[in-house]
Amino acid sequence: MSRGFQTAEVNWISCNGIVAPGAQNVKSERCRSDTCFVGGGIFFRAPGHTDREYTAKEMEAYAGDRPHRADPCDHRRAQLGQHRSVPVRSRSVDLRRAGLRGRQVPPGSPPFFKAKNLQSPFRKVTFPMEQKKEYKLYKRRWVVLLSFVCVNAVMQYGWAFFSSIVTDAWHFYGFQDAASGEAAISALTMIIMGCMIVFSIPASWVFEKIGWYKTVSIAGIVLMVFTLLRGFIGGSSYTALVITTTGIAVTQPFIINAFGMISALWFPPAERGIANGWGMISTYLGVVMAQFGVPWLMSTFGLDIPGALKVFGFLSIPMILWFILFAREKPPTPPADEDLIERVSFADGMKQLAKNKKFIYALLVFWLLQGVYFTLTTLMEPILQFFNGGSMDSLFIGTLGTILTVTGVITTLVLPIASDRSKSKKRKPIVLVCEIGTLVGLVLIITGHTVGLQILMACCLGIFLTGVTPIVMVLGYESAYPVSEGTTESLMQLGANGWGLICLLAVNGIFQGNHMGTLVFFLAGTVLSLVLTMMIKEASLKERRIE
């Protein structure tokens, strides 16, 4: 027990030990019988006091009528025996408002407040202090992340299924010429992008209402059903293919927009670039499964398009069930300050983002680069055939697509780690370098006609166009703080799909197979993203809450 102190009316004892009414303290100062002991916000009865239980409002009214009171928040002084009295402005007690209903407050020291479940007159007493916040990292966060990778991979190979066999696909479904056939296959991707635009904002609202885990689980089950249906009826006619593809497309915003929420709820700020990198890997994993897996199945096992669709339909079952069984909404203890997780509401966040220039620039950069990526991966085969005189084998084109995706996956892992572990944690310089590398890769599509240059082209686009995606996303999240990742993710994916849809419409409607115009369009968009990136003023570490 530390040294006592005295105010004008009441003897208060500052305590930090086991005490009982009438006990002696370590200074041999006898506790007076009319003294109450204060600790942890609970008053213990001293001899001579009534056993009546008082409400919190009564205690507040009583304390407000005293000329002086202790400062219970200064627990450090209490421990050192240097507790001080803090004057309180005298005020009359409104007994009705305090809930006393005309009863008299007993004079003298504070009244007895009965502690719940008190079994002994002896109790460890401490002064109230702010609880230290606890943070913890769980190894399970990687299991949750990898299980989500599986669900999103199923979604992505759904839209990229025909990317390496566009010509074979439009022949199979009965189209007579390349222009109408490419437009029909591109329309499948447009459906997925259109649903992303329509349902991104509602998806954010659903995430806020029921959480990301329940949302992704429900969407994953719907995705599994339509992927299986696509395998059994999607090969019968183009109309059935469109219907099943639409069912798959509706689930996309309810899955892919969970990236930011998983990284915020399970990972500390220093690892969120890595977490978003793994989230993007799921996109590329699905794409490479389609780009290389589909022509490989058809050439190795002699499968036709309906057979390949069935294989991918059955593959979706274990991948989605793994997520449902092993993923969870959030850990028992947060990985960081909850102010970095639970922030402003969706409506307030949208208002803030509309005025945030740094986020708007980052958003436009993401849209432009993703538009190029979506269109290029959708029409890779006809674009490469156009610049090489139609002499390229579809399996080699699939191999180039695989090289692009694999190098993109490696870069997606390396760049976020390098960015997160750097001293400055700057994102902008990495984005600028990658945009310049993307320009080089696009030029090589036009000029590279040898195998070596074509492989170099695929590597450049994989490293710089694909690999930069998680860095741009983190740049957007940090520019948008304190708006939640769920809101910013929805806007970024919505716009990216919108711009990709515009690119596909321009390629099929304006250029109509003239892919020189397509590449000029891509180059102009990439240059514009480079200019916008240079206009971003990146926030400090303190402003981004990653110190």
Side-chain angles (χ1 to χ4, degrees):
M1 183 185 300
S2 56
R3 187 174 58 197
F5 64 93
Q6 190 170 4
T7 66
E9 289 191 31
V10 182
N11 285 340
W12 296 77
I13 303 297
S14 59
C15 316
N16 192 18
I18 298 178
V19 296
Q24 287 186 342
N25 63 16
V26 294
K27 300 290 185 181
S28 298
E29 296 174 354
R30 186 73 181 178
C31 299
R32 297 166 64 175
S33 62
D34 61 344
T35 301
C36 287
F37 293 83
V38 184
I42 299 176
F43 294 93
F44 293 90
R45 178 172 61 85
H49 278 287
T50 177
D51 284 348
R52 186 169 75 82
E53 183 174 349
Y54 283 74
T55 66
K57 287 187 177 180
E58 290 178 290
M59 298 301 298
E60 181 183 359
Y62 181 85
D65 201 43
R66 305 292 101 190
H68 294 78
R69 65 176 173 86
D71 179 11
C73 296
D74 199 348
H75 53 273
R76 182 58 181 161
R77 287 192 180 89
Q79 292 174 350
L80 297 175
Q82 299 172 353
H83 217 308
R84 57 191 174 88
S85 296
V86 180
V88 177
R89 184 177 62 188
S90 295
R91 60 181 175 85
S92 59
V93 182
D94 187 342
L95 298 179
R96 288 180 180 274
R97 293 180 62 186
L100 299 180
R101 299 178 181 175
R103 290 175 288 180
Q104 295 295 322
V105 179
S109 54
F112 166 66
F113 184 84
K114 187 177 181 181
K116 294 181 178 180
N117 303 321
L118 185 60
Q119 303 295 328
S120 169
F122 297 93
R123 178 104 177 205
K124 184 172 181 179
V125 182
T126 57
F127 276 87
M129 64 174 65
E130 184 180 355
Q131 288 187 341
K132 185 178 180 181
K133 295 181 179 179
E134 294 184 0
Y135 312 122
K136 185 177 180 180
L137 292 180
Y138 294 84
K139 292 181 180 179
R140 184 170 185 162
R141 69 189 187 276
W142 300 109
V143 177
V144 173
L145 184 62
L146 290 175
S147 65
F148 179 78
V149 165
C150 290
V151 177
N152 194 49
V154 174
M155 175 66 243
Q156 299 308 318
Y157 72 59
W159 75 262
F161 184 88
F162 297 102
S163 60
S164 296
I165 56 166
V166 174
T167 304
D168 292 338
W170 64 258
H171 277 300
F172 175 82
Y173 285 105
F175 294 94
Q176 301 300 318
D177 59 89
S180 61
E182 289 178 14
I185 301 303
S186 298
L188 301 174
T189 302
M190 293 182 197
I191 290 170
I192 293 175
M193 291 179 176
C195 288
M196 187 72 188
I197 296 168
V198 173
F199 292 104
S200 277
I201 301 301
S204 298
W205 181 83
V206 174
F207 283 133
E208 187 175 333
K209 291 298 179 183
I210 67 173
W212 74 269
Y213 171 70
K214 291 181 181 178
T215 304
V216 175
S217 296
I218 295 169
I221 292 171
V222 176
L223 172 63
M224 181 174 64
V225 170
F226 276 98
T227 305
L228 285 167
L229 286 174
R230 194 186 195 191
F232 284 97
I233 67 173
S236 59
S237 68
Y238 181 75
T239 302
L241 181 66
V242 169
I243 293 171
T244 53
T245 300
T246 304
I248 293 171
V250 171
T251 66
Q252 185 180 18
F254 297 94
I255 295 173
I256 196 171
N257 289 354
F259 277 159
M261 299 186 72
I262 295 172
S263 63
L265 290 169
W266 282 91
F267 291 85
E271 292 182 357
R272 287 179 188 169
I274 301 172
N276 279 284
W278 273 98
M280 292 308 302
I281 284 174
S282 62
T283 299
Y284 308 141
L285 176 63
V287 172
V288 75
M289 288 170 69
Q291 287 178 336
F292 181 79
V294 173
W296 178 76
L297 285 172
M298 294 175 69
S299 61
T300 304
F301 298 98
L303 296 178
D304 56 4
I305 288 177
L309 287 170
K310 286 186 179 72
V311 169
F312 280 91
F314 286 118
L315 184 61
S316 68
I317 297 174
M319 297 176 75
I320 292 172
L321 289 180
W322 182 25
F323 171 82
I324 295 172
L325 292 174
F326 294 103
R328 291 295 180 269
E329 177 72 21
K330 60 183 179 181
T333 305
D337 189 343
E338 297 210 9
D339 289 341
L340 302 178
I341 301 172
E342 304 290 340
R343 305 185 205 155
V344 299
S345 66
F346 175 76
D348 291 337
M350 294 293 287
K351 292 177 183 178
Q352 290 186 26
L353 293 179
K355 302 175 183 178
N356 189 333
K357 289 185 178 180
K358 289 187 291 186
F359 173 73
I360 291 172
Y361 292 151
L363 185 68
L364 292 174
V365 169
F366 185 79
W367 289 0
L368 290 167
L369 293 178
Q370 286 296 287
V372 173
Y373 173 77
F374 288 150
T375 310
L376 185 61
T377 51
T378 301
L379 296 173
M380 174 173 282
E381 194 235 2
I383 289 173
L384 292 177
Q385 295 285 17
F386 176 84
F387 287 105
N388 291 275
S391 60
M392 297 185 70
D393 179 67
S394 61
L395 184 59
F396 179 65
I397 293 174
T399 303
L400 290 176
T402 303
I403 293 171
L404 186 155
T405 305
V406 169
T407 53
V409 167
I410 295 171
T411 312
T412 298
L413 288 174
V414 172
L415 282 185
I417 293 173
S419 177
D420 285 344
R421 293 186 178 179
S422 66
K423 186 176 181 181
S424 64
K425 293 182 172 57
K426 291 289 186 181
R427 323 293 186 186
K428 178 179 173 179
I430 298 176
V431 176
L432 289 171
V433 171
C434 288
E435 286 166 334
I436 294 171
T438 300
L439 291 172
V440 173
L442 293 174
V443 170
L444 284 174
I445 292 178
I446 302 172
T447 59
H449 302 298
T450 63
V451 172
L453 289 177
Q454 288 166 351
I455 293 174
L456 178 62
M457 172 272 299
C459 290
C460 283
L461 292 176
I463 293 171
F464 299 114
L465 176 61
T466 307
V468 76
T469 304
I471 303 297
V472 181
M473 291 175 71
V474 173
L475 179 62
Y477 298 155
E478 293 172 352
S479 300
Y481 186 89
V483 180
S484 71
E485 283 83 355
T487 303
T488 54
E489 178 86 29
S490 295
L491 287 175
M492 295 175 85
Q493 296 293 349
L494 183 152
N497 282 269
W499 179 244
L501 182 59
I502 291 171
C503 291
L504 282 172
L505 289 172
V507 168
N508 291 293
I510 299 174
F511 304 119
Q512 295 182 349
N514 181 7
H515 293 300
M516 178 59 75
T518 302
L519 265 293
V520 172
F521 189 61
F522 288 169
L523 289 167
T526 307
V527 170
L528 180 57
S529 72
L530 182 66
V531 173
L532 290 170
T533 304
M534 290 189 287
M535 295 171 65
I536 297 173
K537 184 179 180 182
E538 195 165 4
S540 66
L541 293 177
K542 184 176 182 180
E543 291 173 326
R544 289 182 278 158
R545 303 298 193 274
I546 54 176
E547 284 190 312

